[in-house]
Amino acid sequence: NAGVTQTPKFQVLKTGQSMTLQCAQDMNHNSMYWYRQDPGMGLRLIYYSASEGTTDKGEVPNGYNVSRLNKREFSLRLESAAPSQTSVYFCASSYHDSSNQPQHFGDGTRLSIL
Amino acid sequence: QKEVEQDPGPLSVPEGAIVSLNCTYSNSAFQYFMWYRQYSRKGPELLMYTYSSGNKEDGRFTAQVDKSSKYISLFIRDSQPSDSATYLCAIRYGNKLVFGAGTILRVKS
């Protein structure tokens, strides 16, 4: 089982460039999430989609946009990349966005912005 | 003050040791408690999940929650080199999931 698949795995951008990170899940989950992970900061929620057709801001949404393309796919876009967005980005999914539903993660996209 | 505090380590132990990993939290509304394991260059994977005070056991792993002290622990018995990873606690209330920064564990053979 693939679970949560993220592409690309690595990317280097120049400041000001744009990029879209892709995420797809094959677990028939309704809810999907984008996190960033920085040293000493833990995982911080950027945006989430509780169900197909809805998206909401998380803790650190500035500089990002998202699209819930369909039930399986949830993309994250950086319109004008900044060095502060250098991070590891994780996509996650859960059956529902409720307290008793654990989230399952992909293996991340490592993004460096020069 | 962070909502969830976790000692970053690294914690280095010999093979076979009992490991204790801990988190404290500040919000008494937190309801669900999880431990994730993250290997280098991989995504977090769910290890343990509980919502009540007390202990929950799964093989060599035991998760302990003390809501009165706002303290959660993960114990690993008979630790193995393959347990070397970063361990993240995660705590949830409503639609908010808050992660600790993670503790790096190294088990030496």
Side-chain angles (χ1 to χ4, degrees), chain A residues 98-103, chain B residues 31-36 46-52 56 58 63 65 74 90 92 97:
Chain A
S98 61
S99 294
N100 64 346
Q101 295 295 317
Q103 297 179 10
Chain B
Q31 297 174 302
Y32 293 86
F33 307 89
M34 304 167 201
W35 284 96
Y36 283 83
L46 184 67
L47 264 183
M48 301 283 288
Y49 168 59
T50 183
Y51 63 91
S52 60
K56 181 177 181 179
D58 184 2
V65 175
L74 178 71
R92 176 130 187 181
L97 181 62

Side-chain angles (χ1 to χ4, degrees), chain B residues 6-108:
Chain B
Q6 187 175 8
D7 187 333
L11 178 62
S12 185
V13 302
E15 183 176 356
I18 297 174
V19 176
S20 172
L21 303 165
N22 310 296
C23 285
T24 59
Y25 61 95
S26 58
N27 191 332
S28 58
F30 284 148
Q31 297 174 302
Y32 293 86
F33 307 89
M34 304 167 201
W35 284 96
Y36 283 83
R37 177 175 62 195
Q38 186 176 19
Y39 290 115
S40 179
R41 299 192 172 275
K42 292 290 187 180
E45 59 175 318
L46 184 67
L47 264 183
M48 301 283 288
Y49 168 59
T50 183
Y51 63 91
S52 60
S53 284
N55 294 350
K56 181 177 181 179
E57 190 172 318
D58 184 2
R60 295 186 296 112
F61 298 91
T62 299
Q64 187 177 81
V65 175
D66 183 346
K67 289 187 178 181
S68 62
S69 300
K70 300 190 184 73
Y71 193 85
I72 65 172
S73 299
L74 178 71
F75 298 97
I76 307 174
R77 291 183 298 280
D78 188 24
S79 56
Q80 302 295 309
S82 58
D83 294 327
S84 297
T86 298
Y87 290 81
L88 306 165
C89 63
I91 307 177
R92 176 130 187 181
Y93 69 100
N95 64 357
K96 188 173 182 179
L97 181 62
V98 182
F99 285 85
T103 299
I104 298 170
L105 172 66
R106 295 175 183 152
V107 181
K108 300 172 293 184

